[in-house]
Amino acid sequence: MNETDAPGGAALRARAEIDLAAVRANVRTLRQRAPGTALMAVVKADGYGHGAAPCARAAVEAGATWLGTATPQEALALRAPGSGVPAGVRIMCWLWTPGGPWREAIEADLDVSLGGRWALDEVTRAARLAGRPARVQLKADTGLGRGGCQPGDDWTELVAAALRAEAEGLLRVTGLWSHFACADEPGHPSIAAQLTRFREMVAYAEAQGVRPEVRHIANSPATLTLPESHFDLVRPGIAMYGISPSPEIGTSADFGLRPAMTLSASLALVKHVPGGHGVSYGHHYVTPGATTLGLVPLGYADGVPRHASSAGPVLVEGKWRTVAGRVAMDQFVVDLGGDEPEPGAEAVLFGPGERGEPTAEDWAQAAGTIAYEIVTRIGARVPRVYVNEGSGR
Ligand SMILES: *Cc1c(COP(=O)(O)O)cnc(C)c1O
């Protein structure tokens, strides 16, 4: 770590400030949306770029009793002593490939998702070796067409095999679950179809003798807009970081959510250039007249999307500026229109929007993507600076 990137130092090249009070408030707001239901805070992909362990701790402080990750490695990291996640918190992970690590997951008391027979065979073998039962959740594909077990014979067989293994003491079926395809499009016919199929698949498993602790299907948009999908537990991800799952269903503010991440950088240079001057690779921007340019020391290696070239908004000294020309690997330029901020002046790419800065949603629109991708791709070279740590508001 070099001098300028020293966390807590006065001069950071760039920083992603994470407001943990916002994460806690968002989790409380989501719990109010789903009263009487457990909340699994989804902290996969390093907490959508916000930092998995600090966000997991904040979510637990605000009442989350479960944590969810994609990979087993992400889940195991949350069980490591340094994570600060209390031991009693349930942790589930769902993206498994042959080879495990099943035994480590069993020994770490993780809930593992099984979406097919191969996974059940591997986890039971690991449970024999570990000498203790695995906690497994059976994943139903109710229509997403991605992971999980198809309805019909596949489900019948998986349920039967799980019950046999449960009778042998090799596992305990702790959950039945699924995932939506179009929960961010209220009224989409697939929503009702998936709910019907989920109820059928759950009813079948329960009729065969499965006694799950939790049944769940709701991601952020379903948590926010579909109370009939809440069952025993909701699994919000993007909303706990304060971002609306889709601008079509409402803004963060509409849902009482506050974006937790503010991405900013210190201008590395401010200089005068004449009109007609090409800017950045390919000269896709040419200064319309004499002006000043500011150099922002963040690029696509830091997760600033190259697709936002000539489009991404940045707040500098109270004014919105636009990326001038291409985003490069480590830097991009903004046309400051003759203004002369000092080198080191703050350039805010996005934040909650409360100081007039753009939001991750603005960047998503500029880059033709979704805000999930904007925050999740912020790179490891950008230090995360945590504010409002601790359990106060
Ligand atoms: C990512 C994910 C979630 C959270 O989705 P959001 O839309 O971010 O709320 C929930 N469940 C599963 C299985 C996921 O992969």
Side-chain angles (χ1 to χ4, degrees):
M1 183 155 295
N2 66 38
E3 204 177 344
T4 50
D5 274 0
L12 290 173
R13 168 186 71 105
R15 69 213 70 103
E17 186 180 286
I18 312 298
D19 183 351
L20 293 174
V23 173
R24 291 192 299 271
N26 295 331
V27 168
R28 287 193 199 100
T29 298
L30 289 161
R31 286 180 62 213
Q32 282 160 14
R33 287 263 171 186
T37 303
L39 187 140
M40 177 187 293
V42 178
V43 294
K44 62 190 179 185
D46 200 24
Y48 292 43
H50 296 65
C55 292
R57 290 194 301 268
V60 169
E61 283 163 6
T65 51
W66 288 75
L67 300 170
T69 71
T71 71
Q73 288 79 14
E74 292 173 317
L76 289 168
L78 294 170
R79 278 284 189 248
S83 78
V85 171
V89 174
R90 291 270 163 233
I91 305 178
M92 174 176 174
C93 55
W94 45 77
L95 191 58
W96 288 88
T97 44
W102 299 107
R103 185 164 175 181
E104 290 84 343
I106 293 167
E107 286 167 352
D109 201 25
L110 304 182
D111 280 53
V112 305
S113 172
L114 306 181
R117 268 307 297 270
W118 74 264
L120 190 132
D121 294 343
E122 291 205 359
V123 81
T124 48
R125 224 173 293 139
R128 273 185 220 284
L129 291 172
R132 58 183 275 194
R135 291 177 56 90
V136 309
Q137 301 213 10
L138 306 183
K139 168 91 184 276
D141 185 350
T142 55
L144 173 58
R146 203 174 69 178
C149 189
Q150 288 297 115
D153 291 347
D154 288 354
W155 185 245
T156 311
E157 276 175 35
L158 185 67
V159 167
L163 285 168
R164 282 194 302 273
E166 194 167 59
E168 281 185 70
L170 295 172
L171 58 78
R172 156 130 188 76
V173 182
T174 57
L176 299 170
W177 75 292
S178 189
H179 195 39
F180 278 117
C182 309
D184 55 350
E185 297 176 50
H188 193 286
S190 70
I191 295 172
Q194 282 197 259
L195 278 174
T196 299
R197 182 149 288 168
F198 186 56
R199 287 196 191 95
E200 288 166 0
M201 292 173 84
V202 166
Y204 173 81
E206 292 182 340
Q208 299 305 301
V210 173
R211 294 287 172 266
E213 294 169 16
V214 284
R215 297 158 292 186
H216 50 108
I217 187 171
N219 55 1
S220 292
T223 303
L224 292 168
T225 68
L226 286 172
E228 67 273 33
S229 73
H230 291 172
F231 295 92
D232 305 309
L233 177 152
V234 294
R235 297 192 311 269
I238 196 72
M240 70 174 265
Y241 306 103
I243 295 173
S244 167
S246 157
E248 278 77 49
I249 65 169
T251 64
S252 298
D254 291 339
F255 294 118
L257 302 169
R258 183 162 178 272
M261 183 189 290
T262 299
L263 178 67
S264 61
S266 301
L267 287 184
L269 181 69
V270 177
K271 66 181 179 183
H272 286 267
V273 294
H277 202 301
V279 176
S280 194
Y281 294 130
H283 279 178
H284 290 279
Y285 183 77
V286 177
T287 55
T291 189
T292 47
L293 298 178
L295 184 63
V296 181
L298 280 170
Y300 58 78
D302 301 299
V304 177
R306 190 167 177 274
H307 272 93
S309 294
S310 300
V314 181
L315 183 77
V316 183
E317 295 199 325
K319 292 182 195 156
W320 275 38
R321 305 299 187 180
T322 304
V323 177
R326 280 202 178 135
V327 173
M329 185 181 293
D330 314 301
Q331 42 193 307
F332 66 86
V333 175
V334 289
D335 188 333
L336 295 167
D339 285 1
E340 296 178 323
E342 291 293 318
E346 187 183 37
V348 184
L349 283 76
F350 60 81
E354 292 158 3
R355 291 187 299 151
E357 74 278 15
T359 61
E361 185 56 45
D362 292 319
W363 273 84
Q365 277 170 19
T369 183
I370 53 176
Y372 290 73
E373 189 177 1
I374 298 296
V375 290
T376 301
R377 291 184 68 172
I378 298 308
R381 197 165 63 172
V382 179
R384 271 53 170 184
V385 177
Y386 293 94
V387 299
N388 296 322
E389 223 154 339
S391 54
R393 291 241 160 206

Short mmCIF file of all heavy atoms in Angstrom, two decimals, residues 138-188:
data_model
loop_
_atom_site.label_atom_id
_atom_site.label_comp_id
_atom_site.label_asym_id
_atom_site.label_seq_id
_atom_site.Cartn_x
_atom_site.Cartn_y
_atom_site.Cartn_z
N LEU A 138 -33.11 -27.48 -0.20
CA LEU A 138 -33.38 -27.98 -1.55
C LEU A 138 -33.88 -26.83 -2.43
O LEU A 138 -34.84 -26.14 -2.09
CB LEU A 138 -34.42 -29.10 -1.50
CG LEU A 138 -34.10 -30.27 -0.56
CD1 LEU A 138 -35.18 -31.35 -0.67
CD2 LEU A 138 -32.72 -30.87 -0.87
N LYS A 139 -33.22 -26.67 -3.56
CA LYS A 139 -33.52 -25.54 -4.46
C LYS A 139 -34.42 -26.00 -5.60
O LYS A 139 -34.05 -26.90 -6.36
CB LYS A 139 -32.21 -24.99 -5.02
CG LYS A 139 -32.34 -24.01 -6.17
CD LYS A 139 -32.43 -22.59 -5.68
CE LYS A 139 -32.67 -21.57 -6.79
NZ LYS A 139 -31.46 -21.16 -7.47
N ALA A 140 -35.57 -25.35 -5.69
CA ALA A 140 -36.52 -25.66 -6.76
C ALA A 140 -36.39 -24.63 -7.88
O ALA A 140 -36.38 -23.43 -7.61
CB ALA A 140 -37.94 -25.63 -6.19
N ASP A 141 -36.30 -25.10 -9.10
CA ASP A 141 -36.41 -24.17 -10.23
C ASP A 141 -37.89 -24.02 -10.55
O ASP A 141 -38.49 -24.89 -11.18
CB ASP A 141 -35.63 -24.67 -11.45
CG ASP A 141 -35.64 -23.64 -12.59
OD1 ASP A 141 -36.40 -22.65 -12.49
OD2 ASP A 141 -34.91 -23.83 -13.57
N THR A 142 -38.47 -22.92 -10.09
CA THR A 142 -39.90 -22.70 -10.31
C THR A 142 -40.16 -21.90 -11.58
O THR A 142 -41.29 -21.49 -11.84
CB THR A 142 -40.51 -21.95 -9.10
OG1 THR A 142 -39.75 -20.74 -8.89
CG2 THR A 142 -40.45 -22.82 -7.84
N GLY A 143 -39.10 -21.66 -12.36
CA GLY A 143 -39.31 -20.95 -13.62
C GLY A 143 -38.19 -20.01 -14.04
O GLY A 143 -38.20 -19.50 -15.15
N LEU A 144 -37.22 -19.79 -13.15
CA LEU A 144 -36.11 -18.90 -13.54
C LEU A 144 -35.29 -19.53 -14.68
O LEU A 144 -34.74 -18.83 -15.53
CB LEU A 144 -35.22 -18.61 -12.33
CG LEU A 144 -33.91 -17.83 -12.58
CD1 LEU A 144 -34.18 -16.48 -13.24
CD2 LEU A 144 -33.14 -17.64 -11.28
N GLY A 145 -35.21 -20.85 -14.65
CA GLY A 145 -34.44 -21.50 -15.72
C GLY A 145 -32.95 -21.33 -15.52
O GLY A 145 -32.19 -21.20 -16.49
N ARG A 146 -32.53 -21.32 -14.26
CA ARG A 146 -31.09 -21.20 -13.97
C ARG A 146 -30.75 -22.36 -13.06
O ARG A 146 -30.88 -23.51 -13.49
CB ARG A 146 -30.83 -19.81 -13.36
CG ARG A 146 -29.41 -19.33 -13.50
CD ARG A 146 -29.23 -17.90 -13.01
NE ARG A 146 -29.37 -17.77 -11.56
CZ ARG A 146 -29.21 -16.63 -10.89
NH1 ARG A 146 -28.92 -15.52 -11.53
NH2 ARG A 146 -29.33 -16.58 -9.59
N GLY A 147 -30.30 -22.11 -11.83
CA GLY A 147 -29.99 -23.23 -10.94
C GLY A 147 -31.25 -23.89 -10.41
O GLY A 147 -32.36 -23.41 -10.60
N GLY A 148 -31.07 -25.01 -9.72
CA GLY A 148 -32.19 -25.64 -9.04
C GLY A 148 -32.76 -26.82 -9.79
O GLY A 148 -32.47 -27.05 -10.95
N CYS A 149 -33.61 -27.51 -9.07
CA CYS A 149 -34.17 -28.78 -9.54
C CYS A 149 -35.47 -28.53 -10.29
O CYS A 149 -36.34 -27.80 -9.81
CB CYS A 149 -34.42 -29.62 -8.29
SG CYS A 149 -34.86 -31.29 -8.64
N GLN A 150 -35.61 -29.16 -11.43
CA GLN A 150 -36.85 -29.02 -12.20
C GLN A 150 -38.01 -29.68 -11.46
O GLN A 150 -37.82 -30.69 -10.77
CB GLN A 150 -36.69 -29.70 -13.57
CG GLN A 150 -35.78 -28.98 -14.54
CD GLN A 150 -36.33 -27.62 -14.91
OE1 GLN A 150 -35.72 -26.60 -14.59
NE2 GLN A 150 -37.47 -27.56 -15.56
N PRO A 151 -39.23 -29.12 -11.63
CA PRO A 151 -40.40 -29.80 -11.06
C PRO A 151 -40.59 -31.16 -11.74
O PRO A 151 -40.01 -31.40 -12.79
CB PRO A 151 -41.56 -28.86 -11.37
CG PRO A 151 -41.05 -27.83 -12.31
CD PRO A 151 -39.56 -27.89 -12.35
N GLY A 152 -41.42 -31.99 -11.13
CA GLY A 152 -41.66 -33.30 -11.73
C GLY A 152 -40.71 -34.34 -11.20
O GLY A 152 -40.35 -34.31 -10.02
N ASP A 153 -40.26 -35.24 -12.07
CA ASP A 153 -39.46 -36.38 -11.62
C ASP A 153 -38.18 -35.95 -10.90
O ASP A 153 -37.77 -36.59 -9.93
CB ASP A 153 -39.07 -37.28 -12.80
CG ASP A 153 -40.29 -38.00 -13.37
OD1 ASP A 153 -41.35 -37.98 -12.70
OD2 ASP A 153 -40.19 -38.55 -14.47
N ASP A 154 -37.53 -34.88 -11.39
CA ASP A 154 -36.27 -34.46 -10.76
C ASP A 154 -36.50 -34.09 -9.29
O ASP A 154 -35.75 -34.48 -8.41
CB ASP A 154 -35.67 -33.25 -11.48
CG ASP A 154 -35.09 -33.61 -12.85
OD1 ASP A 154 -35.07 -34.81 -13.18
OD2 ASP A 154 -34.69 -32.69 -13.58
N TRP A 155 -37.57 -33.33 -9.06
CA TRP A 155 -37.89 -32.90 -7.68
C TRP A 155 -38.29 -34.10 -6.83
O TRP A 155 -37.85 -34.25 -5.69
CB TRP A 155 -39.00 -31.85 -7.72
CG TRP A 155 -39.37 -31.22 -6.41
CD1 TRP A 155 -40.56 -31.33 -5.75
CD2 TRP A 155 -38.55 -30.36 -5.59
NE1 TRP A 155 -40.54 -30.59 -4.59
CE2 TRP A 155 -39.32 -29.99 -4.46
CE3 TRP A 155 -37.25 -29.87 -5.70
CZ2 TRP A 155 -38.83 -29.15 -3.45
CZ3 TRP A 155 -36.76 -29.04 -4.70
CH2 TRP A 155 -37.55 -28.68 -3.60
N THR A 156 -39.13 -34.96 -7.38
CA THR A 156 -39.57 -36.16 -6.67
C THR A 156 -38.37 -36.98 -6.21
O THR A 156 -38.29 -37.42 -5.06
CB THR A 156 -40.44 -37.02 -7.62
OG1 THR A 156 -41.40 -36.18 -8.23
CG2 THR A 156 -41.15 -38.13 -6.91
N GLU A 157 -37.42 -37.16 -7.12
CA GLU A 157 -36.23 -37.96 -6.79
C GLU A 157 -35.34 -37.27 -5.77
O GLU A 157 -34.80 -37.91 -4.87
CB GLU A 157 -35.39 -38.20 -8.06
CG GLU A 157 -35.87 -39.37 -8.88
CD GLU A 157 -35.09 -39.48 -10.18
OE1 GLU A 157 -33.88 -39.17 -10.18
OE2 GLU A 157 -35.71 -39.85 -11.19
N LEU A 158 -35.17 -35.95 -5.92
CA LEU A 158 -34.30 -35.22 -4.99
C LEU A 158 -34.90 -35.27 -3.58
O LEU A 158 -34.19 -35.51 -2.59
CB LEU A 158 -34.11 -33.77 -5.45
CG LEU A 158 -33.13 -32.95 -4.61
CD1 LEU A 158 -31.70 -33.46 -4.75
CD2 LEU A 158 -33.18 -31.46 -4.97
N VAL A 159 -36.21 -35.05 -3.49
CA VAL A 159 -36.88 -35.08 -2.20
C VAL A 159 -36.75 -36.47 -1.58
O VAL A 159 -36.42 -36.60 -0.38
CB VAL A 159 -38.36 -34.64 -2.34
CG1 VAL A 159 -39.15 -34.96 -1.08
CG2 VAL A 159 -38.45 -33.15 -2.67
N ALA A 160 -36.97 -37.49 -2.36
CA ALA A 160 -36.90 -38.87 -1.83
C ALA A 160 -35.49 -39.17 -1.34
O ALA A 160 -35.29 -39.73 -0.25
CB ALA A 160 -37.33 -39.87 -2.91
N ALA A 161 -34.49 -38.80 -2.13
CA ALA A 161 -33.10 -39.07 -1.75
C ALA A 161 -32.72 -38.29 -0.50
O ALA A 161 -32.01 -38.79 0.38
CB ALA A 161 -32.16 -38.72 -2.91
N ALA A 162 -33.22 -37.05 -0.40
CA ALA A 162 -32.91 -36.23 0.78
C ALA A 162 -33.54 -36.85 2.03
O ALA A 162 -32.92 -36.89 3.10
CB ALA A 162 -33.40 -34.80 0.56
N LEU A 163 -34.76 -37.34 1.89
CA LEU A 163 -35.43 -37.95 3.06
C LEU A 163 -34.72 -39.23 3.49
O LEU A 163 -34.59 -39.50 4.69
CB LEU A 163 -36.91 -38.22 2.74
CG LEU A 163 -37.79 -36.96 2.75
CD1 LEU A 163 -39.16 -37.25 2.15
CD2 LEU A 163 -37.94 -36.41 4.18
N ARG A 164 -34.23 -40.01 2.52
CA ARG A 164 -33.48 -41.22 2.88
C ARG A 164 -32.21 -40.84 3.65
O ARG A 164 -31.88 -41.43 4.68
CB ARG A 164 -33.10 -42.02 1.62
CG ARG A 164 -34.26 -42.84 1.04
CD ARG A 164 -33.76 -43.88 0.02
NE ARG A 164 -33.04 -43.29 -1.11
CZ ARG A 164 -33.61 -42.84 -2.23
NH1 ARG A 164 -34.95 -42.92 -2.37
NH2 ARG A 164 -32.90 -42.34 -3.20
N ALA A 165 -31.51 -39.83 3.13
CA ALA A 165 -30.27 -39.40 3.79
C ALA A 165 -30.56 -38.80 5.17
O ALA A 165 -29.78 -38.96 6.11
CB ALA A 165 -29.53 -38.39 2.92
N GLU A 166 -31.71 -38.14 5.28
CA GLU A 166 -32.08 -37.57 6.58
C GLU A 166 -32.34 -38.70 7.58
O GLU A 166 -31.91 -38.64 8.73
CB GLU A 166 -33.31 -36.67 6.43
CG GLU A 166 -33.57 -35.78 7.63
CD GLU A 166 -34.60 -34.68 7.34
OE1 GLU A 166 -35.75 -35.03 6.98
OE2 GLU A 166 -34.26 -33.49 7.46
N ALA A 167 -33.02 -39.75 7.10
CA ALA A 167 -33.31 -40.89 7.98
C ALA A 167 -32.02 -41.57 8.43
O ALA A 167 -31.95 -42.11 9.54
CB ALA A 167 -34.22 -41.89 7.25
N GLU A 168 -31.00 -41.52 7.59
CA GLU A 168 -29.70 -42.11 7.96
C GLU A 168 -28.88 -41.18 8.84
O GLU A 168 -27.73 -41.51 9.19
CB GLU A 168 -28.88 -42.39 6.69
CG GLU A 168 -29.25 -43.63 5.93
CD GLU A 168 -28.29 -43.85 4.77
OE1 GLU A 168 -27.11 -44.19 5.02
OE2 GLU A 168 -28.70 -43.62 3.61
N GLY A 169 -29.38 -39.99 9.10
CA GLY A 169 -28.65 -39.05 9.95
C GLY A 169 -27.52 -38.32 9.22
O GLY A 169 -26.63 -37.74 9.86
N LEU A 170 -27.56 -38.31 7.87
CA LEU A 170 -26.48 -37.68 7.12
C LEU A 170 -26.75 -36.21 6.83
O LEU A 170 -25.83 -35.46 6.51
CB LEU A 170 -26.26 -38.42 5.80
CG LEU A 170 -25.75 -39.86 5.98
CD1 LEU A 170 -25.74 -40.59 4.64
CD2 LEU A 170 -24.35 -39.85 6.60
N LEU A 171 -28.00 -35.85 6.88
CA LEU A 171 -28.32 -34.44 6.63
C LEU A 171 -29.64 -34.10 7.29
O LEU A 171 -30.39 -34.97 7.73
CB LEU A 171 -28.38 -34.14 5.12
CG LEU A 171 -29.36 -34.93 4.24
CD1 LEU A 171 -30.78 -34.42 4.36
CD2 LEU A 171 -28.90 -34.83 2.78
N ARG A 172 -29.87 -32.80 7.34
CA ARG A 172 -31.17 -32.32 7.79
C ARG A 172 -31.62 -31.30 6.74
O ARG A 172 -30.85 -30.41 6.36
CB ARG A 172 -30.97 -31.72 9.19
CG ARG A 172 -31.94 -30.72 9.60
CD ARG A 172 -32.55 -30.98 11.00
NE ARG A 172 -33.63 -29.99 11.12
CZ ARG A 172 -34.81 -30.12 10.50
NH1 ARG A 172 -35.11 -31.22 9.84
NH2 ARG A 172 -35.71 -29.17 10.58
N VAL A 173 -32.85 -31.48 6.24
CA VAL A 173 -33.37 -30.53 5.24
C VAL A 173 -33.90 -29.31 6.00
O VAL A 173 -34.95 -29.36 6.63
CB VAL A 173 -34.48 -31.14 4.37
CG1 VAL A 173 -34.94 -30.11 3.33
CG2 VAL A 173 -33.99 -32.40 3.68
N THR A 174 -33.13 -28.23 5.95
CA THR A 174 -33.49 -27.04 6.73
C THR A 174 -34.31 -26.04 5.93
O THR A 174 -34.91 -25.14 6.50
CB THR A 174 -32.22 -26.34 7.24
OG1 THR A 174 -31.40 -26.03 6.10
CG2 THR A 174 -31.45 -27.22 8.20
N GLY A 175 -34.28 -26.19 4.59
CA GLY A 175 -35.00 -25.20 3.80
C GLY A 175 -35.45 -25.72 2.46
O GLY A 175 -34.89 -26.67 1.91
N LEU A 176 -36.51 -25.08 1.95
CA LEU A 176 -36.99 -25.29 0.58
C LEU A 176 -37.04 -23.91 -0.02
O LEU A 176 -37.62 -22.99 0.57
CB LEU A 176 -38.39 -25.93 0.60
CG LEU A 176 -38.48 -27.30 1.27
CD1 LEU A 176 -39.95 -27.71 1.43
CD2 LEU A 176 -37.72 -28.36 0.46
N TRP A 177 -36.45 -23.75 -1.21
CA TRP A 177 -36.33 -22.38 -1.68
C TRP A 177 -36.27 -22.29 -3.19
O TRP A 177 -36.09 -23.29 -3.89
CB TRP A 177 -35.12 -21.72 -1.03
CG TRP A 177 -33.78 -22.15 -1.58
CD1 TRP A 177 -33.20 -23.36 -1.47
CD2 TRP A 177 -32.87 -21.32 -2.31
NE1 TRP A 177 -31.99 -23.36 -2.08
CE2 TRP A 177 -31.76 -22.12 -2.61
CE3 TRP A 177 -32.90 -19.99 -2.74
CZ2 TRP A 177 -30.67 -21.62 -3.34
CZ3 TRP A 177 -31.81 -19.50 -3.45
CH2 TRP A 177 -30.71 -20.31 -3.74
N SER A 178 -36.43 -21.06 -3.68
CA SER A 178 -36.40 -20.82 -5.12
C SER A 178 -36.03 -19.35 -5.36
O SER A 178 -35.76 -18.61 -4.42
CB SER A 178 -37.76 -21.16 -5.74
OG SER A 178 -37.68 -21.14 -7.15
N HIS A 179 -36.01 -18.96 -6.62
CA HIS A 179 -35.56 -17.60 -6.97
C HIS A 179 -36.40 -17.11 -8.15
O HIS A 179 -36.71 -17.88 -9.06
CB HIS A 179 -34.08 -17.66 -7.33
CG HIS A 179 -33.36 -16.35 -7.37
ND1 HIS A 179 -33.58 -15.33 -6.47
CD2 HIS A 179 -32.40 -15.89 -8.21
CE1 HIS A 179 -32.77 -14.31 -6.75
NE2 HIS A 179 -32.05 -14.62 -7.80
N PHE A 180 -36.75 -15.79 -8.13
CA PHE A 180 -37.61 -15.22 -9.17
C PHE A 180 -36.83 -14.81 -10.43
O PHE A 180 -35.67 -14.37 -10.34
CB PHE A 180 -38.29 -13.95 -8.65
CG PHE A 180 -39.52 -14.20 -7.81
CD1 PHE A 180 -39.56 -13.81 -6.48
CD2 PHE A 180 -40.64 -14.79 -8.37
CE1 PHE A 180 -40.69 -14.00 -5.72
CE2 PHE A 180 -41.79 -14.99 -7.61
CZ PHE A 180 -41.81 -14.60 -6.27
N ALA A 181 -37.52 -14.84 -11.55
CA ALA A 181 -36.96 -14.34 -12.81
C ALA A 181 -37.28 -12.87 -13.03
O ALA A 181 -36.45 -12.12 -13.55
CB ALA A 181 -37.51 -15.16 -13.98
N CYS A 182 -38.49 -12.45 -12.68
CA CYS A 182 -38.98 -11.12 -13.09
C CYS A 182 -39.67 -10.37 -11.96
O CYS A 182 -40.63 -9.62 -12.20
CB CYS A 182 -39.96 -11.26 -14.26
SG CYS A 182 -39.37 -12.24 -15.64
N ALA A 183 -39.16 -10.53 -10.74
CA ALA A 183 -39.81 -9.85 -9.61
C ALA A 183 -39.72 -8.34 -9.72
O ALA A 183 -40.48 -7.61 -9.09
CB ALA A 183 -39.20 -10.32 -8.30
N ASP A 184 -38.78 -7.85 -10.54
CA ASP A 184 -38.65 -6.40 -10.71
C ASP A 184 -39.59 -5.86 -11.80
O ASP A 184 -39.50 -4.70 -12.16
CB ASP A 184 -37.19 -6.02 -11.01
CG ASP A 184 -36.64 -6.77 -12.21
OD1 ASP A 184 -37.30 -7.71 -12.69
OD2 ASP A 184 -35.54 -6.40 -12.68
N GLU A 185 -40.47 -6.72 -12.31
CA GLU A 185 -41.49 -6.26 -13.26
C GLU A 185 -42.86 -6.62 -12.72
O GLU A 185 -43.43 -7.65 -13.09
CB GLU A 185 -41.28 -6.92 -14.63
CG GLU A 185 -39.96 -6.59 -15.29
CD GLU A 185 -39.77 -7.38 -16.60
OE1 GLU A 185 -40.69 -7.36 -17.44
OE2 GLU A 185 -38.72 -8.01 -16.74
N PRO A 186 -43.39 -5.76 -11.81
CA PRO A 186 -44.67 -6.09 -11.18
C PRO A 186 -45.73 -6.43 -12.23
O PRO A 186 -45.83 -5.77 -13.26
CB PRO A 186 -45.04 -4.82 -10.42
CG PRO A 186 -43.73 -4.14 -10.17
CD PRO A 186 -42.87 -4.46 -11.36
N GLY A 187 -46.49 -7.48 -11.96
CA GLY A 187 -47.53 -7.89 -12.89
C GLY A 187 -47.05 -8.86 -13.96
O GLY A 187 -47.85 -9.39 -14.72
N HIS A 188 -45.75 -9.09 -14.03
CA HIS A 188 -45.26 -10.05 -15.03
C HIS A 188 -45.88 -11.41 -14.74
O HIS A 188 -45.88 -11.87 -13.60
CB HIS A 188 -43.73 -10.14 -14.97
CG HIS A 188 -43.14 -10.85 -16.15
ND1 HIS A 188 -43.24 -12.22 -16.30
CD2 HIS A 188 -42.48 -10.39 -17.24
CE1 HIS A 188 -42.64 -12.57 -17.43
NE2 HIS A 188 -42.18 -11.48 -18.02
#
